[in-house]
Short mmCIF file of all heavy atoms in Angstrom, two decimals:
data_model
loop_
_atom_site.label_atom_id
_atom_site.label_comp_id
_atom_site.label_asym_id
_atom_site.label_seq_id
_atom_site.Cartn_x
_atom_site.Cartn_y
_atom_site.Cartn_z
N VAL A 1 92.23 74.29 98.98
CA VAL A 1 92.86 75.36 99.78
C VAL A 1 92.90 74.92 101.24
O VAL A 1 91.89 74.48 101.78
CB VAL A 1 92.09 76.70 99.68
CG1 VAL A 1 92.74 77.76 100.57
CG2 VAL A 1 91.99 77.18 98.25
N GLU A 2 94.06 75.02 101.84
CA GLU A 2 94.21 74.80 103.28
C GLU A 2 94.81 76.06 103.88
O GLU A 2 95.76 76.61 103.32
CB GLU A 2 95.14 73.62 103.56
CG GLU A 2 94.63 72.28 103.09
CD GLU A 2 95.63 71.17 103.31
OE1 GLU A 2 96.54 71.30 104.17
OE2 GLU A 2 95.51 70.15 102.59
N VAL A 3 94.24 76.50 104.98
CA VAL A 3 94.78 77.67 105.69
C VAL A 3 94.90 77.30 107.15
O VAL A 3 93.93 76.89 107.78
CB VAL A 3 93.86 78.91 105.53
CG1 VAL A 3 94.44 80.09 106.32
CG2 VAL A 3 93.67 79.28 104.07
N GLN A 4 96.11 77.41 107.67
CA GLN A 4 96.37 77.15 109.08
C GLN A 4 96.75 78.45 109.76
O GLN A 4 97.65 79.15 109.30
CB GLN A 4 97.53 76.18 109.25
CG GLN A 4 97.20 74.75 109.03
CD GLN A 4 98.42 73.90 109.36
OE1 GLN A 4 99.51 74.15 108.88
NE2 GLN A 4 98.22 72.89 110.18
N ASP A 5 96.07 78.74 110.84
CA ASP A 5 96.41 79.88 111.68
C ASP A 5 97.55 79.42 112.58
O ASP A 5 97.49 78.35 113.16
CB ASP A 5 95.17 80.26 112.50
CG ASP A 5 95.33 81.55 113.25
OD1 ASP A 5 96.43 82.13 113.23
OD2 ASP A 5 94.35 81.99 113.86
N ASN A 6 98.62 80.22 112.68
CA ASN A 6 99.78 79.85 113.50
C ASN A 6 99.94 80.83 114.67
O ASN A 6 100.91 81.58 114.71
CB ASN A 6 101.06 79.85 112.66
CG ASN A 6 101.18 78.64 111.79
OD1 ASN A 6 100.68 77.58 112.11
ND2 ASN A 6 101.84 78.80 110.65
N PRO A 7 99.02 80.81 115.62
CA PRO A 7 99.12 81.78 116.72
C PRO A 7 100.35 81.58 117.60
O PRO A 7 100.79 82.51 118.25
CB PRO A 7 97.83 81.55 117.52
CG PRO A 7 97.39 80.18 117.16
CD PRO A 7 97.90 79.91 115.76
N GLN A 8 100.92 80.37 117.62
CA GLN A 8 102.13 80.15 118.42
C GLN A 8 103.30 80.94 117.85
O GLN A 8 104.21 81.31 118.58
CB GLN A 8 102.47 78.65 118.53
CG GLN A 8 102.93 77.99 117.27
CD GLN A 8 101.78 77.53 116.36
OE1 GLN A 8 100.63 77.89 116.56
NE2 GLN A 8 102.10 76.76 115.35
N LEU A 9 103.28 81.21 116.56
CA LEU A 9 104.33 82.01 115.93
C LEU A 9 104.09 83.49 116.27
O LEU A 9 104.96 84.15 116.81
CB LEU A 9 104.31 81.78 114.42
CG LEU A 9 105.52 82.21 113.64
CD1 LEU A 9 106.77 81.51 114.15
CD2 LEU A 9 105.32 81.91 112.16
N CYS A 10 102.91 83.98 115.93
CA CYS A 10 102.47 85.33 116.29
C CYS A 10 101.04 85.50 115.80
O CYS A 10 100.57 84.76 114.94
CB CYS A 10 103.38 86.41 115.71
SG CYS A 10 103.32 86.55 113.94
N ARG A 11 100.36 86.46 116.34
CA ARG A 11 98.99 86.75 115.92
C ARG A 11 99.01 87.26 114.48
O ARG A 11 99.80 88.11 114.14
CB ARG A 11 98.40 87.80 116.86
CG ARG A 11 96.94 88.00 116.70
CD ARG A 11 96.41 88.81 117.88
NE ARG A 11 95.04 89.15 117.65
CZ ARG A 11 94.62 90.37 117.33
NH1 ARG A 11 95.47 91.35 117.25
NH2 ARG A 11 93.35 90.60 117.11
N GLY A 12 98.15 86.72 113.63
CA GLY A 12 98.13 87.13 112.23
C GLY A 12 99.12 86.38 111.38
O GLY A 12 99.50 86.83 110.31
N SER A 13 99.55 85.22 111.84
CA SER A 13 100.50 84.38 111.11
C SER A 13 99.75 83.18 110.52
O SER A 13 99.02 82.49 111.23
CB SER A 13 101.59 83.90 112.06
OG SER A 13 102.44 83.00 111.42
N PHE A 14 99.94 82.96 109.21
CA PHE A 14 99.21 81.90 108.53
C PHE A 14 100.13 81.08 107.64
O PHE A 14 101.11 81.59 107.09
CB PHE A 14 98.10 82.48 107.64
CG PHE A 14 97.04 83.20 108.40
CD1 PHE A 14 97.12 84.56 108.61
CD2 PHE A 14 95.95 82.51 108.91
CE1 PHE A 14 96.15 85.23 109.32
CE2 PHE A 14 94.97 83.18 109.62
CZ PHE A 14 95.06 84.54 109.83
N ARG A 15 99.76 79.81 107.49
CA ARG A 15 100.41 78.90 106.54
C ARG A 15 99.31 78.49 105.56
O ARG A 15 98.25 78.00 105.99
CB ARG A 15 100.95 77.68 107.28
CG ARG A 15 101.58 76.65 106.36
CD ARG A 15 102.12 75.50 107.16
NE ARG A 15 103.24 75.98 107.97
CZ ARG A 15 103.61 75.43 109.11
NH1 ARG A 15 102.98 74.40 109.60
NH2 ARG A 15 104.64 75.91 109.77
N ILE A 16 99.54 78.71 104.26
CA ILE A 16 98.52 78.37 103.28
C ILE A 16 99.06 77.40 102.23
O ILE A 16 100.24 77.40 101.91
CB ILE A 16 97.93 79.62 102.59
CG1 ILE A 16 98.98 80.38 101.81
CG2 ILE A 16 97.27 80.54 103.60
CD1 ILE A 16 98.43 81.48 100.95
N PHE A 17 98.16 76.58 101.73
CA PHE A 17 98.44 75.61 100.68
C PHE A 17 97.32 75.74 99.65
O PHE A 17 96.15 75.60 100.00
CB PHE A 17 98.50 74.20 101.28
CG PHE A 17 98.63 73.11 100.26
CD1 PHE A 17 99.70 73.09 99.37
CD2 PHE A 17 97.70 72.10 100.19
CE1 PHE A 17 99.82 72.08 98.43
CE2 PHE A 17 97.81 71.08 99.26
CZ PHE A 17 98.88 71.07 98.38
N VAL A 18 97.69 76.07 98.41
CA VAL A 18 96.70 76.32 97.36
C VAL A 18 97.02 75.48 96.14
O VAL A 18 98.16 75.47 95.66
CB VAL A 18 96.66 77.81 96.95
CG1 VAL A 18 95.56 78.07 95.92
CG2 VAL A 18 96.47 78.71 98.16
N VAL A 19 96.00 74.80 95.61
CA VAL A 19 96.12 74.04 94.37
C VAL A 19 95.18 74.69 93.35
O VAL A 19 93.97 74.77 93.58
CB VAL A 19 95.72 72.56 94.57
CG1 VAL A 19 95.81 71.79 93.26
CG2 VAL A 19 96.59 71.91 95.64
N SER A 20 95.76 75.16 92.24
CA SER A 20 94.95 75.84 91.23
C SER A 20 95.56 75.66 89.84
O SER A 20 96.78 75.73 89.68
CB SER A 20 94.85 77.34 91.54
OG SER A 20 94.17 78.01 90.50
N GLY A 21 94.71 75.46 88.87
CA GLY A 21 95.14 75.38 87.48
C GLY A 21 95.71 76.69 86.97
O GLY A 21 96.47 76.71 86.01
N ILE A 22 95.38 77.77 87.64
CA ILE A 22 95.90 79.10 87.25
C ILE A 22 97.43 79.13 87.37
O ILE A 22 98.09 79.90 86.70
CB ILE A 22 95.26 80.20 88.13
CG1 ILE A 22 93.79 80.36 87.75
CG2 ILE A 22 95.99 81.52 88.01
CD1 ILE A 22 93.03 81.34 88.61
N PHE A 23 97.99 78.26 88.20
CA PHE A 23 99.43 78.24 88.44
C PHE A 23 100.23 77.54 87.33
O PHE A 23 101.46 77.61 87.33
CB PHE A 23 99.75 77.57 89.77
CG PHE A 23 99.17 78.26 90.98
CD1 PHE A 23 98.75 77.53 92.06
CD2 PHE A 23 99.07 79.65 91.04
CE1 PHE A 23 98.23 78.14 93.19
CE2 PHE A 23 98.55 80.28 92.15
CZ PHE A 23 98.13 79.52 93.24
N ARG A 24 99.55 76.88 86.41
CA ARG A 24 100.27 76.17 85.35
C ARG A 24 101.18 77.12 84.58
O ARG A 24 100.76 78.19 84.15
CB ARG A 24 99.29 75.52 84.38
CG ARG A 24 98.60 74.32 84.94
CD ARG A 24 97.70 73.64 83.89
NE ARG A 24 96.95 72.57 84.49
CZ ARG A 24 95.66 72.66 84.84
NH1 ARG A 24 94.98 73.76 84.62
NH2 ARG A 24 95.05 71.62 85.38
N GLY A 25 102.44 76.70 84.41
CA GLY A 25 103.39 77.48 83.64
C GLY A 25 104.04 78.64 84.39
O GLY A 25 104.84 79.37 83.81
N LEU A 26 103.67 78.83 85.64
CA LEU A 26 104.21 79.96 86.42
C LEU A 26 105.29 79.47 87.38
O LEU A 26 105.20 78.38 87.94
CB LEU A 26 103.09 80.64 87.22
CG LEU A 26 101.95 81.27 86.42
CD1 LEU A 26 100.94 81.88 87.37
CD2 LEU A 26 102.47 82.30 85.43
N LYS A 27 106.27 80.32 87.59
CA LYS A 27 107.31 80.04 88.58
C LYS A 27 106.75 80.34 89.97
O LYS A 27 105.74 81.01 90.11
CB LYS A 27 108.53 80.91 88.30
CG LYS A 27 109.20 80.59 86.97
CD LYS A 27 110.44 81.43 86.79
CE LYS A 27 111.08 81.24 85.45
NZ LYS A 27 111.63 79.94 85.20
N THR A 28 107.43 79.85 90.99
CA THR A 28 106.97 79.99 92.37
C THR A 28 106.70 81.45 92.74
O THR A 28 105.66 81.77 93.31
CB THR A 28 108.01 79.39 93.35
OG1 THR A 28 108.19 78.02 93.00
CG2 THR A 28 107.54 79.51 94.78
N LEU A 29 107.61 82.34 92.40
CA LEU A 29 107.43 83.76 92.74
C LEU A 29 106.17 84.33 92.08
O LEU A 29 105.41 85.08 92.71
CB LEU A 29 108.66 84.57 92.34
CG LEU A 29 108.63 86.05 92.70
CD1 LEU A 29 108.44 86.25 94.21
CD2 LEU A 29 109.88 86.74 92.24
N GLN A 30 105.92 83.95 90.82
CA GLN A 30 104.72 84.43 90.13
C GLN A 30 103.45 83.90 90.81
O GLN A 30 102.46 84.62 90.93
CB GLN A 30 104.75 83.99 88.67
CG GLN A 30 105.87 84.65 87.86
CD GLN A 30 106.06 84.00 86.50
OE1 GLN A 30 106.14 82.78 86.40
NE2 GLN A 30 106.12 84.83 85.47
N ARG A 31 103.50 82.66 91.25
CA ARG A 31 102.35 82.06 91.95
C ARG A 31 102.09 82.80 93.25
O ARG A 31 100.95 83.12 93.58
CB ARG A 31 102.62 80.59 92.24
CG ARG A 31 102.70 79.73 91.01
CD ARG A 31 103.08 78.32 91.38
NE ARG A 31 103.25 77.49 90.19
CZ ARG A 31 103.36 76.18 90.22
NH1 ARG A 31 103.37 75.53 91.38
NH2 ARG A 31 103.49 75.49 89.10
N HIS A 32 103.15 83.08 93.99
CA HIS A 32 103.00 83.76 95.28
C HIS A 32 102.48 85.17 95.09
O HIS A 32 101.68 85.66 95.90
CB HIS A 32 104.32 83.75 96.05
CG HIS A 32 104.68 82.39 96.55
ND1 HIS A 32 105.68 82.18 97.46
CD2 HIS A 32 104.17 81.16 96.29
CE1 HIS A 32 105.77 80.90 97.74
NE2 HIS A 32 104.86 80.25 97.03
N ARG A 33 102.88 85.82 94.02
CA ARG A 33 102.34 87.16 93.73
C ARG A 33 100.84 87.09 93.46
O ARG A 33 100.09 87.98 93.88
CB ARG A 33 103.08 87.79 92.56
CG ARG A 33 104.45 88.28 92.94
CD ARG A 33 105.15 88.93 91.79
NE ARG A 33 106.45 89.43 92.21
CZ ARG A 33 107.49 89.58 91.41
NH1 ARG A 33 107.39 89.27 90.12
NH2 ARG A 33 108.63 90.03 91.87
N LEU A 34 100.41 86.05 92.73
CA LEU A 34 98.97 85.88 92.47
C LEU A 34 98.21 85.68 93.78
O LEU A 34 97.12 86.22 93.96
CB LEU A 34 98.73 84.69 91.54
CG LEU A 34 99.00 84.91 90.06
CD1 LEU A 34 98.76 83.61 89.29
CD2 LEU A 34 98.12 86.02 89.50
N VAL A 35 98.77 84.89 94.68
CA VAL A 35 98.14 84.67 95.98
C VAL A 35 98.04 86.00 96.74
O VAL A 35 96.99 86.34 97.27
CB VAL A 35 98.91 83.62 96.81
CG1 VAL A 35 98.43 83.60 98.26
CG2 VAL A 35 98.78 82.24 96.18
#
């Protein structure tokens, strides 16, 4: 898991990168809903 705070964009703005076996077989939208 990587989480970057992006204060230059706005306060409370984040960029995240997650690697998980739970995502196997799921489409991008389904993965994002899990997140």
Side-chain angles (χ1 to χ4, degrees):
V1 178
E2 295 176 22
V3 179
Q4 281 185 309
D5 189 354
N6 283 331
Q8 69 277 11
L9 196 59
C10 68
R11 191 167 172 253
S13 175
F14 296 93
R15 177 179 293 154
I16 63 171
F17 173 58
V18 183
V19 178
S20 175
I22 290 176
F23 298 146
R24 287 184 185 102
L26 299 179
K27 295 183 185 294
T28 301
L29 183 58
Q30 294 169 311
R31 293 175 184 192
H32 289 192
R33 284 182 178 153
L34 282 178
V35 168

